[in-house]
Amino acid sequence: MLIIDAHLDLSMNALQWNRNLLQSVYTIRTQEQFVQGKGRALGTVAYPDMRRGRIFLSVATLIARSTGRTVPYFDFATPMQAYGMAHGQLAYYRALEQEGHIRIISDTAALDRHVAEWEAWDAAHPEVTEATPPLGFVLSMEGADPILHPEQLAAWWEAGLRLLGPTHYGPGRYAGGTATELGLTPIGPPLLREMERLGVVLDLTHLSDQAFWEALEHYNGLVLASHNNCRALVPHQRQFSDEQLQAIFARDGVIGAAFDTWMLQPGWVVGQSTNENVTIANVVDHIDHICQLAGNSRHAAIGTDLDGGYGREQSPRDLDTIADLQKLKDLLAARGYAAADIAAILHGNWLRFFHQAWKNN
Ligand SMILES: [Zn+2]
């Protein structure tokens, strides 16, 4: 089964964590045996493992905050530094593309060619192998802080950026993020207008509740939540309430289920709890909640956030590498999902979404 993952911080892993993602997860773990830090030697994502797992298309992020706080590798003292970091990350993806490892997909023609090639390859290769066509990446930015001012968005669009989440954790330059109750800042609405004009799709993930509803008032285009789970199952401000999920359904948006254990199980504490009671079946609980709430399987999909600042210790126990996303197929079937619904959740909904987003490109 071909799979689309709508949220992977690949360039952050490659540049800030200095991981050579052309090597397998197992090789990188061995190299990091003596490297200190959260998630080190416990990674789950690298390109050979994505190929084995047929993650043929992913949303790959640029991420560099400038919130006025300073967090090493993540949060830069000035927007100019964040701009430099994000352009470095963009350059990394372009270098991978120039060397033939990946394709950056930014319009429907390229998407359709990529899908056709992978479908033919998938049908002809039932065996597990890393010898696949190139991986496809759609470029997103998680937190708009590197965009110096709203008028600069056009240049980012030209560079390939297609999705944008205005904020991340904390007080973003454009909007309040996770763990704040801040709304849009004065430069938030002009950015949203420019996104709508250019067709840069709004990723609602990480917006505070206040900013979430304000953003929907100022932006009339297509929306997604690239990596988000359900507040009804695991109460936390980072998760979306049923009312928020319904607002996304109303725009025909799609929600990617995240694999971070604290978003899967109530009461899970980062740095304290173990993953012994968290499995991929918990992810299916969140997918199922979205499908039951919507009354269909149109809006649920995958956005794992694997290796988004953590590793195996904070991922479901039965996930060794990202290739294990293939387990979702049987888990969904065991819940009574029909083959067409499973295909929609694992790739079809994101494909429909990108076609909708790029219908004018
Ligand atoms: Zn995130």
Side-chain angles (χ1 to χ4, degrees):
M1 173 75 72
L2 296 179
I3 292 179
I4 299 179
D5 186 338
H7 193 84
L8 290 172
D9 297 317
L10 297 164
S11 63
M12 182 193 84
N13 277 274
L15 300 191
Q16 284 110 307
W17 289 39
N18 198 12
R19 284 176 165 166
N20 175 2
L21 301 176
L22 296 171
Q23 301 174 324
S24 81
V25 157
Y26 302 106
T27 303
I28 297 169
R29 284 180 193 163
T30 307
Q31 290 168 343
E32 292 186 352
Q33 270 183 95
F34 304 107
V35 179
Q36 298 297 312
K38 186 167 182 284
R40 289 298 193 166
L42 293 168
T44 59
V45 180
Y47 307 137
D49 311 278
M50 290 169 70
R51 291 171 183 270
R52 279 193 295 115
R54 301 180 190 225
I55 325 294
F56 81 113
L57 186 66
S58 323
V59 173
T61 64
L62 314 175
I63 178 167
R65 293 194 307 244
S66 183
T67 65
R69 307 178 301 174
T70 44
V71 180
Y73 304 126
F74 275 112
D75 215 320
F76 297 87
T78 65
M80 288 82 80
Q81 288 164 270
Y83 173 93
M85 186 71 236
H87 265 290
Q89 293 171 337
L90 177 67
Y92 165 69
Y93 292 130
R94 288 292 177 197
L96 286 174
E97 183 177 53
Q98 283 163 28
E99 296 300 314
H101 299 294
I102 67 150
R103 293 181 180 131
I104 294 175
I105 311 276
S106 54
D107 59 36
T108 45
L111 179 63
D112 290 343
R113 280 196 304 274
H114 186 69
V115 171
E117 183 178 356
W118 269 86
E119 280 179 346
W121 178 87
D122 183 55
H125 294 84
E127 77 283 5
V128 175
T129 173
E130 292 168 13
T132 74
L135 299 168
F137 291 177
V138 175
L139 298 186
S140 177
M141 190 185 282
E142 184 172 24
D145 296 352
I147 298 169
L148 293 178
H149 40 77
E151 308 79 65
Q152 197 187 65
L153 186 64
W156 287 96
W157 163 273
E158 283 300 318
L161 186 72
R162 291 294 177 268
L163 310 176
L164 177 58
T167 189
H168 190 229
Y169 282 88
R173 294 179 56 231
Y174 291 91
T178 302
T180 78
E181 292 178 1
L182 304 167
L184 301 179
T185 69
I187 54 172
L191 179 73
L192 288 162
R193 279 196 295 276
E194 192 63 355
M195 289 171 68
E196 191 175 326
R197 185 181 76 80
L198 292 164
V200 176
V201 177
L202 172 61
D203 186 350
L204 294 162
T205 290
H206 285 296
L207 288 166
S208 73
D209 286 0
Q210 181 70 24
F212 177 97
W213 296 110
E214 287 180 16
L216 288 181
E217 274 174 35
H218 288 274
Y219 171 92
N220 300 303
L222 195 59
V223 299
L224 77 157
S226 61
H227 56 306
N228 244 106
N229 291 343
C230 308
R231 202 175 289 181
L233 302 186
V234 180
H236 191 287
Q237 187 237 17
R238 168 74 180 80
Q239 316 266 66
F240 283 158
S241 67
D242 287 356
E243 194 188 1
Q244 289 173 306
L245 294 171
Q246 272 157 340
I248 297 171
F249 304 158
R251 299 265 182 119
D252 208 17
V254 177
I255 299 121
F259 276 56
D260 194 332
T261 43
W262 75 261
M263 295 170 66
L264 294 171
Q265 193 178 62
W268 206 92
V269 181
V270 173
Q272 286 180 32
S273 305
T274 69
N275 66 359
E276 62 187 328
N277 296 317
V278 187
T279 65
I280 302 171
N282 293 95
V283 179
V284 176
D285 295 341
H286 288 264
I287 292 171
D288 189 52
H289 180 81
I290 288 169
C291 293
Q292 301 301 336
L293 190 66
N296 58 53
S297 63
R298 261 183 94 77
H299 306 284
I302 309 301
T304 64
D305 200 17
L306 287 168
D307 284 1
Y310 57 92
R312 279 190 84 185
E313 81 292 353
Q314 202 173 310
S315 303
R317 168 170 53 83
D318 50 349
L319 184 134
D320 179 23
T321 78
I322 193 168
D324 290 321
L325 294 188
Q326 287 293 341
K327 292 180 178 175
L328 283 164
K329 191 179 159 199
D330 288 346
L331 288 167
L332 286 162
R335 299 280 177 107
Y337 281 77
D341 294 312
I342 296 170
I345 292 163
L346 296 186
H347 61 250
N349 288 336
W350 285 131
L351 289 180
R352 183 192 74 239
F353 182 87
F354 290 128
H355 277 112
Q356 171 80 7
W358 300 336
K359 61 181 189 289
N360 300 322
N361 292 10

